[in-house]
Amino acid sequence: MSLKPKSWKRVHAVRDAQVKLAIGAAAVAMRNEATLVNNAERLKKLRDNAFDAGHCQNGASLHAQLELAQRLIRADGEISTALVRARQHLAQVERQRTAAYIDRETTSKLLDRAIAQADETAERKAARLPLRRKNTKEAEE
């Protein structure tokens, strides 16, 4: 491999940054899903209470209660759809996070091999060089 040590560090830093970005994206996706689940539970409780029409005294209040119940049912469908999309997005982000981890580990292994090979090459070159002889004048002194 013809990479220089600074390039090795740069490549490894890029892979680390990709992993950190993937972790952050996964955390955001998890929070979004948790928020939607919480909203769906709150909406379900509100919808269950909306079908209790015992406190409606006249037709207008019954009509308002009916309209509220219909809106809650529509909102429940919309939040269910959003939750499905959020779970799909979370799965996609998790796959990207896993791929980033795999890329980082592969890069680390390849860079370790490249460093070892470069060290070995440097040692072989150093071994081939003749030893420096001291000048005879320096030896006599």
Side-chain angles (χ1 to χ4, degrees):
M1 190 177 249
S2 64
L3 292 175
K4 306 229 184 250
K6 286 184 181 179
S7 298
W8 297 335
K9 290 178 184 175
R10 196 174 310 124
V11 169
H12 200 20
V14 167
R15 295 299 184 198
D16 279 339
Q18 288 174 338
V19 167
K20 289 176 184 176
L21 287 172
I23 289 171
V28 168
M30 284 181 199
R31 273 196 307 273
N32 288 344
E33 185 206 10
T35 300
L36 284 172
V37 167
N38 185 28
N39 288 347
E41 290 172 1
R42 289 175 44 215
L43 188 63
K44 183 179 183 279
K45 289 178 187 175
L46 187 60
R47 191 185 71 229
D48 290 343
N49 291 336
F51 287 115
D52 181 26
H55 59 278
C56 294
Q57 301 297 327
N58 56 24
S61 62
L62 183 61
H63 184 272
Q65 189 76 16
L66 179 62
E67 185 174 337
L68 175 63
Q70 289 172 348
R71 286 184 182 187
L72 289 172
I73 289 171
R74 273 193 308 256
D76 186 46
E78 290 171 5
I79 205 163
S80 295
T81 303
L83 189 57
V84 167
R85 275 191 249 122
R87 286 183 176 149
Q88 289 172 347
H89 180 67
L90 177 61
Q92 178 185 4
V93 168
E94 286 292 329
R95 287 189 299 271
Q96 289 173 349
R97 185 180 60 87
T98 303
Y101 274 119
I102 291 170
D103 285 348
R104 184 180 66 177
E105 291 303 315
T106 303
T107 302
S108 293
K109 288 177 183 178
L110 289 174
L111 290 178
D112 289 343
R113 287 181 190 169
I115 290 169
Q117 185 178 9
D119 289 344
E120 184 180 311
T121 303
E123 288 175 9
R124 277 187 288 162
K125 284 182 180 179
R128 278 189 273 164
L129 291 175
L131 295 176
R132 295 183 106 186
R133 295 184 186 179
K134 292 183 181 178
N135 287 338
T136 56
K137 291 180 185 178
E138 291 177 3
E140 291 174 4
E141 293 176 0

